[in-house]
Amino acid sequence: MTANINLPRILRIGAGASRQLPEVLDELNLKRPLLVTDAFIVSLGWLDTLEAQLSEKGFSHNRFTEVVPDPTSDAVTAGLAVLRQGKYDCVVALGGGSSIDTAKAIAVMAHRDQPMRHYKVPNSIADGLPVIAIPTTAGTGSEATRAAVITDTESQEKMLCMGLGLMPIAALVDFELTLSMPWRLTADTGLDSLCHALEAYVSKKANAFTDTIALAAMTAINTHIRTACQQPDNREAREAMMLAATQGGIAFSNSSVTLIHGMSRPIGALYHVPHGLSNAMLLPDVTAWSISGAPARYADCARAMGMAESSDSDATANQKLVAGLRLLCSDLKVPRPGEFGIDAQAWQQSLELMTQQALDSGSPNNNPRIPNAA
Ligand code: NAD
């Protein structure tokens, strides 16, 4: 089997990488960026700093700052209106996955007329304006994926859109931007990265390239996630988590996510549970249910994360994996849906819809054990 690998053309990784935006735009011969971010990032002053750098170097630029969490097709339409008012030749995303996905969607819709939902068909988006992604969370890995997750405003479906046009041309991966993340956001986004790496490794689409990257990411995340939460200024932990997030993105984008992400998206869309948290709510139970489909692969994950010894049998490693994931979720205070405040009756009533959306998304078909609606 041949593995097909897609990556950003430029990856700059390390402290201060985000300050190299003018240099990277020059390298790509891009002159008129539209900057996309959310109001909170604006309040941190980071957009002003970036814009001052661009002005100093003579770039013509503008901003769209109306990104919303779990970005909607309406927010993309609003961004598109700004894009179409000027002659921008690229889109720069500054922020978490919501900003990056909004920027990607604006960039690919620039020359398309159909609504976003038309493009939820896999690989239907081959091209778009170049996107330069500057992540500020260590989580989604969207800076290095050919995916954008957009909620259709009409149907409330959280759509996974995939295609080469959604791969950023460049990613500036600067862990210093994550030092400001509070405890909860650090935990949620770090757990999202862990799910990406674990799902990529156990996926039916896993390959030798993604395997090594996924294992490295799992090792780093389980080593550093608690420290990153407890000691927000710990640069070693932040740097490791940021690299692992990008690696998790590369891994799943070139393999796939599986049942956890398939079930998580409808929970996020209907109940506005932060994305990493809805993954984490599912992580131990979905893992326990799926292990029989690929016991040796799950045992590798347990060993990579230091949850099992190399001398443990696969069966023992698998038991330790589920226990280790439960402990991690408990340490990181991952709530059950009811504890998050989701009404039990509403949850029950929405199960059929959520099940349908999960199965329709395609991700569960890559799970080592294939689920059905029941
Ligand atoms: P987010 O972008 O929604 O940000 C969450 C909040 O954190 C926002 O209020 C934001 O302003 C704030 N924030 C961001 N960086 C911060 C920082 N450094 N310090 C303090 N606050 C900061 O969160 P996210 O988890 O990064 O992104 C989630 C979205 O990404 C979801 O919609 C999810 O479906 C999507 N996603 C996309 C991909 C992909 O490959 N395209 C992969 C996984 C998830």
Side-chain angles (χ1 to χ4, degrees):
M1 198 183 79
T2 310
N4 176 45
I5 309 300
N6 302 125
L7 296 166
R9 214 188 289 175
I10 297 175
L11 271 172
R12 296 223 178 166
I13 299 175
S18 60
R19 294 194 289 275
Q20 297 177 10
L21 178 63
E23 200 178 305
V24 167
L25 289 172
D26 273 341
E27 204 174 332
L28 295 166
N29 198 24
L30 297 168
K31 314 237 177 269
R32 292 178 61 88
L34 175 68
L35 307 177
V36 172
T37 192
D38 66 32
F40 185 73
I41 299 290
V42 174
S43 76
L44 293 175
W46 292 347
L47 190 68
D48 289 342
T49 307
L50 215 56
E51 286 190 319
Q53 280 176 340
L54 291 174
S55 298
E56 196 185 313
K57 300 278 179 188
F59 288 92
S60 168
H61 53 86
N62 196 0
R63 52 164 71 180
F64 172 71
T65 60
E66 287 159 43
V67 169
V68 293
D70 297 320
T72 57
S73 46
D74 274 2
V76 174
T77 305
L80 261 178
V82 177
L83 185 89
R84 286 176 176 155
Q85 278 161 19
K87 288 199 173 103
Y88 304 103
D89 60 7
C90 63
V91 184
V92 173
L94 174 68
S98 298
S99 293
I100 300 176
D101 285 3
T102 304
K104 288 180 176 186
I106 293 170
V108 297
M109 296 303 282
H111 304 299
R112 287 181 166 84
D113 297 326
Q114 304 276 2
M116 194 75 209
R117 78 179 78 91
H118 184 79
Y119 302 102
K120 69 174 183 174
V121 182
N123 299 321
S124 58
I125 308 175
D127 57 3
L129 288 180
V131 171
I132 293 96
I134 309 177
T136 63
T137 59
T140 71
S142 180
E143 65 275 10
T145 73
R146 52 188 178 84
V149 185
I150 303 295
T151 300
D152 183 47
T153 309
E154 221 169 90
S155 67
Q156 287 302 300
E157 180 189 359
K158 209 169 172 187
M159 305 177 296
L160 174 64
C161 305
M162 300 280 295
L164 201 48
L166 292 163
M167 174 64 78
I169 193 167
L172 311 184
V173 183
D174 184 347
F175 73 88
E176 288 187 335
L177 297 178
T178 66
L179 293 167
S180 55
M181 283 204 295
W183 194 98
R184 185 73 263 162
L185 186 62
T186 303
D188 293 351
T189 51
L191 286 163
D192 188 21
S193 305
L194 181 64
C195 290
H196 291 156
L198 187 140
E199 289 176 81
Y201 190 79
V202 301
S203 165
K204 287 184 184 300
K205 292 190 174 166
N207 57 71
F209 178 85
T210 55
D211 280 355
T212 52
I213 295 173
L215 289 172
M218 281 185 261
T219 302
I221 293 165
N222 200 43
T223 306
H224 294 285
I225 191 167
R226 291 172 175 89
T227 311
C229 288
Q230 286 154 11
Q231 302 169 26
D233 295 333
N234 188 310
R235 293 173 67 85
E236 188 193 349
R238 291 296 197 186
E239 184 165 21
M241 291 298 294
M242 191 61 157
L243 177 61
T246 302
Q247 288 175 319
I250 291 172
F252 94 77
S253 182
N254 291 292
S255 167
S256 81
V257 284
T258 58
L259 183 56
I260 296 173
H261 267 75
M263 289 174 67
S264 164
R265 275 181 230 109
I267 299 175
L270 290 187
Y271 297 108
H272 303 289
V273 180
H275 177 67
L277 199 54
S278 56
N279 287 335
M281 285 173 175
L282 297 157
L283 172 63
D285 288 332
V286 173
T287 300
W289 185 83
S290 304
I291 278 174
S292 63
R297 303 288 285 178
Y298 280 103
D300 289 344
C301 297
R303 293 184 193 108
M305 286 190 277
M307 290 174 179
E309 306 297 326
S310 54
S311 55
D312 284 334
S313 68
D314 285 358
T316 303
N318 287 333
Q319 282 173 359
K320 289 185 175 178
L321 175 64
V322 176
L325 293 175
R326 287 201 200 289
L327 178 65
L328 180 64
C329 287
S330 159
D331 287 352
L332 296 182
K333 302 184 181 16
V334 174
R336 314 264 324 156
E339 292 162 348
F340 184 79
I342 299 175
D343 177 67
Q345 204 180 343
W347 177 265
Q348 207 58 35
Q349 283 167 355
S350 62
L351 272 181
E352 199 176 326
L353 175 67
M354 292 200 291
T355 305
Q356 199 53 50
Q357 289 187 351
L359 292 176
D360 284 353
S361 73
S363 304
N365 290 335
N366 300 318
N367 206 57
R369 185 178 171 200
I370 302 291
N372 60 26

